[in-house]
Amino acid sequence: MHIAEDNLIFDLDGTLFDSAPEILICLTKALYLNNINLKNNLNKSIIGPPLKETLKNLVQKKDIVKIDKIIENFIEIYDSDYCHKTKLYKGVQETLKILEKKKNLILITNKRIAPTEKMLQHAKIIELFDNYLSVDPNDQSKKDKSTLISKTIKDNNINPKNTAYIGDTMGDFIASKKNNIKFIFAGWGYGKYVEDADLHLTDIREML
């Protein structure tokens, strides 16, 4: 197995970081503060999409009006006390250190930029990336992952044929294919198995 692409774009949650424990704790606390009873249980399969999208699928119709307040509470709790406690998956740091010597490493995530920076700094991997970017629903050029990948490819004059996205969800696969780049499935993450991925990995160290 040889990864020939020179430009490797990584997802964050469920790909580099095992972020489910902290996210689920903070979400539970934010829901409790807003007296929300869920129609479904909270588990790691909900992680991946932007928070607003996740909550729309989680709360009952009558509670949709509370979503902005839940997000506000979540951000307060998560950014101040929890995000920096999130652990990298085994092998991530050493794999990125080796890849970074030969490849351009970029991070593109649905996670907001503030906790993303905190996590990358705390895990001591921030300097291994040429760039790290977050989806921003308020900015049309970054409104979703597919658009942000497209913008990054254009801005950095990247050849899509020489580029791969490493992620753990069907959403990551779709964003990759819309941009004609290869998709490498992170089998240790939170998403369901993506059969049509160009490459399936069970451990990030296999990238070496």
Side-chain angles (χ1 to χ4, degrees):
M1 188 190 299
H2 178 60
I3 292 171
E5 287 68 40
D6 287 335
N7 308 294
L8 299 175
I9 307 175
F10 287 87
D11 170 45
L12 187 82
D13 295 327
T15 300
L16 300 179
F17 286 87
D18 184 10
S19 36
E22 288 74 26
I23 290 173
L24 296 176
I25 287 168
C26 296
L27 208 42
T28 302
K29 286 176 184 262
L31 291 162
Y32 176 77
L33 286 172
N34 289 279
N35 302 311
I36 303 284
N37 292 311
L38 292 185
K39 49 187 177 187
N40 297 309
N41 287 335
L42 283 182
N43 61 63
K44 63 185 183 182
S45 70
I46 67 163
I47 292 164
L51 189 53
K52 197 163 202 166
E53 206 178 297
T54 300
L55 284 167
K56 278 180 184 166
N57 293 324
L58 278 177
V59 304
Q60 295 173 50
K61 267 194 182 146
K62 67 179 175 67
D63 293 323
I64 281 184
V65 291
K66 294 183 180 177
I67 282 179
D68 287 344
K69 185 64 184 160
I70 298 165
I71 291 172
E72 193 184 305
N73 293 144
F74 173 86
I75 288 171
E76 209 172 284
I77 301 163
Y78 186 70
D79 289 20
S80 59
D81 295 331
Y82 283 90
C83 67
H84 61 276
K85 295 176 181 170
T86 299
K87 303 274 192 298
L88 289 170
Y89 283 106
K90 271 186 187 166
V92 167
Q93 195 181 51
E94 55 265 43
T95 301
L96 293 179
K97 277 182 177 172
I98 294 165
L99 288 173
E100 181 259 342
K101 290 181 169 63
K102 296 176 182 171
K103 315 276 187 187
N104 303 315
L105 305 188
I106 298 167
L107 181 95
I108 290 183
T109 176
N110 281 324
K111 195 183 228 42
R112 291 167 301 107
I113 199 73
T116 295
E117 279 188 336
K118 279 188 183 180
M119 287 164 69
L120 293 174
Q121 280 167 343
H122 196 261
K124 298 183 170 58
I125 58 170
I126 197 163
E127 68 283 352
L128 302 177
F129 290 96
D130 294 276
N131 209 345
Y132 54 92
L133 305 139
S134 291
V135 165
D136 179 357
N138 301 313
D139 179 340
Q140 278 306 297
S141 67
K142 302 175 180 178
K143 64 177 180 175
D144 55 35
K145 217 173 246 189
S146 175
T147 309
L148 188 49
I149 291 171
S150 170
K151 175 178 163 54
T152 305
I153 286 170
K154 280 196 196 96
D155 288 354
N156 296 280
N157 205 13
I158 288 170
N159 178 0
K161 287 181 181 160
N162 201 5
T163 305
Y165 189 87
I166 301 92
D168 66 317
T169 66
M170 180 54 81
D172 294 335
F173 169 73
I174 291 166
S176 304
K177 291 303 135 190
K178 278 185 179 172
N179 285 286
N180 298 310
I181 63 175
K182 290 192 179 73
F183 178 67
I184 298 173
F185 178 66
W188 56 90
Y190 306 136
K192 290 190 176 125
Y193 186 79
V194 179
E195 200 168 325
D196 294 330
D198 296 283
L199 194 58
H200 296 88
L201 304 179
T202 54
D203 186 305
I204 195 164
R205 288 165 283 204
E206 290 169 25
M207 291 188 76
L208 304 176

